[in-house]
Amino acid sequence: MRVAVLTGGTHVHVALREGERELLRETLPAGAPGATVAAVADRVAGHRPDVLGLASFGPIDVDPASPTRGHLRATPKPGWNDFPLGPELARALGVAAWAVDTDVNAAARAEAAHGGETALAYVTVGTGVGVGWVHQGRTARAPDHPEAGHLPGDPADPFRGVCTFHGACVEGLVSGPALRARSGGDPAALSDDDPLWDWVARDLAHLVHAVMLLVPVERVILGGGVPEARPFLGGLVEARARALAGAYRRIPEGLVGPPRVTRPDLEGAFLLADEARAW
Ligand SMILES: [Zn+2]
């Protein structure tokens, strides 16, 4: 029996499968870390999962050989700094084996498994900006996971950015909090033809272009709350990325598209549970 746990900024998702049959799927609020682990274990009580797949927000140690595997790192989320999330969950759930990856790497795994791509990037734009990358079914986990959401955005973007660490990185320019700061209110109230969306597309195009130069992929999935609410962004980002790439790096038609898997980050956590079983 596999248990999949997905930890996000405000919520934790937990699901159980025996073979392909789903026995449980619940969403819990993410409070203090110890209480959150206890709440997950409480929901799973009565079942006996043997493997755990954990997909977590980062930064988190995902190096399979690291003594602090599954420990969170410097996170702005209060109380979660350095919390040994993976080991604590594994202990509370009583599983024999577990595997951990970032939420975006997990989503990239599920999307590539679904679409059969050899190389794929999953970009999420919501509370933060994250990039997962998968190549031949594997993600980069050692010595560390990618943090491409903190690459620079369009140098012509006049906004100063809100990232605590970098100011005008892509996350600092186009995440939910950045859009609130830029629009001076609720970005949901902006019309689709507001000029802000073109800056968002330009900043994300710099990210996609950088990904294509460094680790070429067959597909870029653009997920998360912002593109979900503004589905036209995918086409704009692709067009802007193509203009940036010029003749040097081909940006194929249809490179950027929406997720094809429902809740791909949680599906990816199940793939991690399979991986844990194989070890
Ligand atoms: Zn940053």
Side-chain angles (χ1 to χ4, degrees):
M1 188 185 296
R2 299 176 293 167
V3 57
V5 175
L6 165 67
T7 56
T10 55
H11 289 87
V12 174
H13 303 265
V14 54
L16 265 176
R17 285 183 192 163
E18 177 82 75
E20 290 311 308
R21 191 164 63 95
E22 191 152 296
L23 306 173
L24 172 93
R25 181 177 290 223
E26 281 209 47
T27 304
L28 316 167
T36 304
V37 167
V40 168
D42 185 59
R43 292 308 191 287
V44 174
H47 300 280
R48 290 191 162 274
D50 56 333
V51 283
L52 159 70
L54 168 62
S56 176
F57 65 88
I60 183 168
D61 185 348
V62 292
D63 180 351
S66 167
T68 54
R69 179 172 74 104
H71 292 222
L72 287 159
R73 294 222 187 90
T75 165
K77 204 167 147 50
W80 289 72
N81 243 4
D82 297 328
F83 182 69
L85 179 63
E88 286 294 312
L89 269 175
R91 189 188 50 77
L93 294 168
V95 294
W98 58 283
V100 59
D101 210 337
T102 60
D103 46 5
V104 279
N105 265 350
R109 283 168 185 260
E111 286 286 346
H114 172 91
E117 285 90 4
T118 301
L120 176 145
Y122 182 92
V123 179
T124 184
V125 186
T127 316
V129 175
V131 180
W133 174 65
V134 62
H135 185 253
Q136 295 182 335
R138 302 170 74 97
T139 56
R141 282 186 286 179
D144 212 335
H145 57 76
E147 283 284 5
H150 294 274
L151 283 166
D154 188 333
D157 190 330
F159 185 60
R160 290 179 53 205
V162 300
C163 177
T164 322
F165 300 99
H166 318 104
C169 65
V170 177
E171 176 167 302
L173 291 167
V174 310
S175 62
L179 295 180
R180 262 193 300 284
R182 300 185 77 141
S183 63
D186 183 1
L190 296 175
S191 69
D192 281 354
D193 53 11
D194 191 285
L196 177 57
W197 300 118
D198 192 47
W199 283 117
V200 171
R202 285 168 182 249
D203 292 321
L204 287 170
H206 275 265
L207 171 56
V208 169
H209 182 227
V211 166
M212 288 301 280
L213 289 175
L214 190 62
V215 287
V217 294
E218 293 158 78
R219 194 162 180 91
V220 174
I221 302 291
L222 189 57
V226 173
E228 213 170 273
R230 311 282 172 168
F232 59 87
L233 276 176
L236 274 184
V237 171
E238 185 180 304
R240 289 287 184 188
R242 186 171 293 118
L244 278 175
Y248 194 69
R249 169 66 77 190
R250 200 174 73 84
I251 304 285
E253 282 298 326
L255 175 76
V256 180
R260 302 155 297 183
V261 177
T262 308
R263 204 75 260 184
D265 35 17
L266 191 60
E267 285 306 318
F270 277 115
L271 296 178
L272 285 163
D274 291 335
E275 182 187 275
R277 178 170 285 139
W279 281 351

